[in-house]
Amino acid sequence: MSAQEVSPLDRQGLLRRRTVLKGGSLALLLSGQQIAFGASIVAVRVWPANDYTRVTIESDGRLQSRQLVVGNPPRLAVDIEGIDLNPALRELVGKIRPDDPYINGLRVGQFAPEVVRIVFDLKQSVLPQVFSLAPVAAYKHRLVLDLYPEQPVDPMEALIAERMRDAPASAPAPAYAQPKPSAADPLGDLMAQQAGRPGPAAPPTPVAPSLPPTVAIAPPRPAAPPSVSPAPPPVAATSTRTDRIIIVALDPGHGGEDPGAIGPNGTREKDIVLQVAHRLRDRINSANVGGNPMRAFLTRDADFFVPLHVRVQKARRVQADLFVSIHADAFTNPDANGASVFALSQRGASSSAARWLANKENDADKVGGINIRAEDLHVQRALFDMSTTAQINDSLKLGTAMLGEIRNVGKLHKPQVEQAGFAVLKAPDIPSVLVETAFISNPGEEAKLRSASYQENLADALMRGIQRYFAQNPPLARSRQL
Ligand SMILES: [Zn+2]
């Protein structure tokens, strides 16, 4: 919903409008369908991230709010009606981190009887989205303030920026390779950066058109990093080389408002899966496929919530070759144990347990909280329902390769790749799997998931699985990059 829109109930005049804020042409938003006067704030949370910063105000009744954006210096004022200032709300001031990309600081005050005003001093102009969420899981009513940048963060540019930061000092990028990538050939820039040659559109040399540029300037690297053992069979034919960076999208599940499953000793799934993703990222970033460098792209690299369809969109934006969603399982029976790997299904789930799990993971949007009406969500889900048999077949191969490696470092819950309708696996053009690393609800496996050594073993196994998959299914050339 844009800042200018009001909900249908607002249009029907069911809500009283109070002229609490006077702002000329400034955007005004009413939210809420019932005013819960006398509600109490029970918690406040802040989730800063480059994509957006979220402030959540949780209360025991639904809150009504209105907001006002003020420029120069940029500020955002939010009036919350029906409450009085309480200690929980005052805590918000101390929860703003100095490195928050959007919020410099904030003030909270009782603006009028039963009206609390929060003024955010901003580091840059934002497009705020303010919306309410009904009670779900452990949460009561939530008023959510999402502060988005006016210029959305582009996953491809973020990936290139990270690549540039990591570039070895001994091989600085030429200045002319630095400008922002063109939308037409973003990977061309990445490749130019990798090879230290000017980009974005250097044509293949007539001398050795089939060789990747890295081979021309450096001795061939081993087929796998030292931590990856045993090495998969090498890719035989040079004709399968694609002269580009191989991108693996890693998708740490949950995040921010959505902790995922919580172990008996309080371990949160969202924290474990981010740690495992970081370990796998390190392995990917130092590996290659048949001489082509690999690069990991994380759909989230901090503790904030990313809606399921946005995870898929991000992976497609960077033209990922693979998508690996990382989770930890949970069940009511604390004895349940072992890892499992899932692919998408076009024809129902492979088991009732798989269907149950897919439903649970698909509920992440409800817990994490997205600003979308139910009917929009339906349309959005339908748009993503374009899965292909080819994608699923490749996903099954990738999942099988991973299971074959995970069984060497831990127990398997199911020996075969299972299938169900996971929303996050619906990129029609990217082989996509969801890995349930172990049962966080099992005290023994919770302890393993917390341990650095098991996380390392797991990351090694996933890396070997990826290498094994690519050895048997070399990434295809993308014509516009050759
Ligand atoms: Zn999960």
Side-chain angles (χ1 to χ4, degrees):
M1 192 186 289
S2 79
Q4 278 75 28
E5 288 176 282
V6 294
S7 74
L9 279 173
D10 294 339
R11 282 197 291 274
Q12 289 163 25
L14 294 179
L15 292 177
R16 287 181 290 153
R17 294 179 184 231
R18 289 190 190 175
T19 316
V20 176
L21 295 164
K22 295 187 175 67
S25 63
L26 299 164
L28 189 67
L29 174 76
L30 290 170
S31 68
Q33 296 173 354
Q34 301 161 353
I35 308 169
F37 286 102
S40 298
I41 307 297
V42 296
V44 292
R45 293 178 288 276
V46 182
W47 309 105
N50 280 337
D51 285 30
Y52 70 101
T53 287
R54 168 172 289 186
V55 176
T56 306
I57 298 167
E58 190 181 351
S59 59
D60 59 8
R62 192 181 169 106
L63 299 173
Q64 188 195 359
S65 71
R66 58 183 75 205
Q67 59 171 318
L68 185 70
V69 178
V70 186
N72 204 18
R75 279 162 293 157
L76 169 69
V78 179
D79 282 356
I80 306 172
E81 296 194 13
I83 57 166
D84 289 318
L85 197 54
N86 74 350
L89 202 49
R90 284 186 203 275
E91 281 177 21
L92 199 52
V93 176
K95 292 196 170 181
I96 304 302
R97 296 201 328 219
D99 61 349
D100 188 304
Y102 302 102
I103 305 174
N104 228 343
L106 62 79
R107 292 157 276 154
V108 184
Q110 190 78 46
F111 182 70
E114 295 200 314
V115 179
V116 167
R117 172 171 286 188
I118 307 173
V119 178
F120 296 88
D121 296 308
L122 303 170
K123 291 179 179 172
Q124 57 175 282
S125 298
V126 297
L127 296 175
Q129 293 192 27
V130 181
F131 55 99
S132 295
L133 296 169
V136 64
Y139 291 127
K140 298 181 174 174
H141 292 269
R142 286 177 289 173
L143 178 67
V144 178
L145 319 172
D146 284 350
L147 310 187
Y148 283 90
E150 290 188 326
Q151 204 66 32
V153 174
D154 183 322
M156 180 56 88
E157 287 182 26
L159 182 60
I160 291 168
E162 184 195 279
R163 174 75 195 113
M164 285 174 147
R165 272 200 309 276
D166 294 353
S170 58
Y176 43 75
Q178 303 270 343
K180 282 172 69 173
S182 71
D185 190 10
L187 282 176
D189 263 4
L190 257 180
M191 286 167 50
Q193 177 65 22
Q194 171 73 23
R197 64 173 183 174
T205 65
V207 180
S210 64
L211 288 180
T214 44
V215 174
I217 61 168
R221 283 167 292 178
S227 62
V228 177
S229 174
V235 178
T238 52
S239 61
T240 61
R241 286 183 175 165
T242 59
D243 193 11
R244 64 180 177 88
I245 288 180
I246 307 302
I247 295 177
V248 180
L250 300 180
D251 177 51
H254 313 280
E257 288 281 287
D258 175 16
I262 297 178
N265 289 304
T267 310
R268 301 182 302 188
E269 180 185 359
K270 66 174 181 179
D271 299 327
I272 295 297
V273 297
L274 185 58
Q275 290 163 8
V276 172
H278 282 154
R279 296 185 195 277
L280 183 52
R281 173 177 66 185
D282 293 345
R283 284 156 176 77
I284 290 170
N285 285 353
S286 60
N288 68 88
V289 175
N292 294 298
M294 295 177 76
R295 194 78 199 168
F297 167 77
L298 267 61
T299 57
R300 75 169 172 97
D301 195 8
D303 188 9
F304 70 108
F305 184 70
V306 183
L308 297 175
H309 72 276
V310 175
R311 297 169 190 259
V312 179
Q313 281 171 354
K314 284 183 166 190
R316 297 190 75 194
R317 175 71 185 101
V318 301
Q319 300 180 335
D321 294 275
L322 297 179
F323 181 93
V324 180
S325 194
I326 304 172
H327 290 257
D329 219 332
F331 196 58
T332 47
N333 179 350
D335 293 332
N337 65 74
S340 18
V341 177
F342 295 85
L344 192 63
S345 168
Q346 280 178 316
R347 296 191 204 113
S350 56
S351 70
S352 56
R355 185 183 309 114
W356 180 84
L357 186 69
N359 288 337
K360 189 159 70 83
E361 297 292 6
N362 290 349
D363 276 348
D365 279 350
K366 290 182 197 154
V367 184
I370 60 173
N371 180 20
I372 191 162
R373 290 184 296 258
E375 60 267 37
D376 293 339
L377 192 60
H378 188 71
V379 170
Q380 208 153 31
R381 290 232 167 108
L383 281 176
F384 271 93
D385 243 337
M386 301 180 297
S387 58
T388 62
T389 307
Q391 189 264 43
I392 291 175
N393 285 343
D394 284 341
S395 304
L396 291 170
K397 288 178 193 166
L398 172 62
T400 302
M402 284 179 162
L403 280 176
E405 297 294 341
I406 297 173
R407 71 166 70 243
N408 297 323
V409 303
K411 285 183 183 170
L412 296 186
H413 185 65
K414 285 280 171 66
Q416 282 100 29
V417 182
E418 289 214 77
Q419 291 180 263
F422 292 89
V424 83
L425 300 181
K426 290 191 174 178
D429 41 6
I430 308 173
S432 303
V433 294
L434 185 143
V435 180
E436 296 283 356
T437 48
F439 276 79
I440 203 170
S441 52
N442 176 313
E445 294 207 335
E446 179 189 24
K448 273 168 65 177
L449 285 170
R450 294 173 74 109
S451 80
S453 64
Y454 186 70
Q455 289 184 7
E456 293 276 309
N457 290 343
L458 196 58
D460 280 340
L462 295 175
M463 185 70 215
R464 285 195 298 268
I466 291 169
Q467 294 270 26
R468 192 176 288 274
Y469 169 81
F470 277 133
Q472 288 153 8
N473 308 274
L476 297 176
R478 287 186 170 133
S479 57
R480 66 190 182 79
Q481 273 129 24
L482 287 171

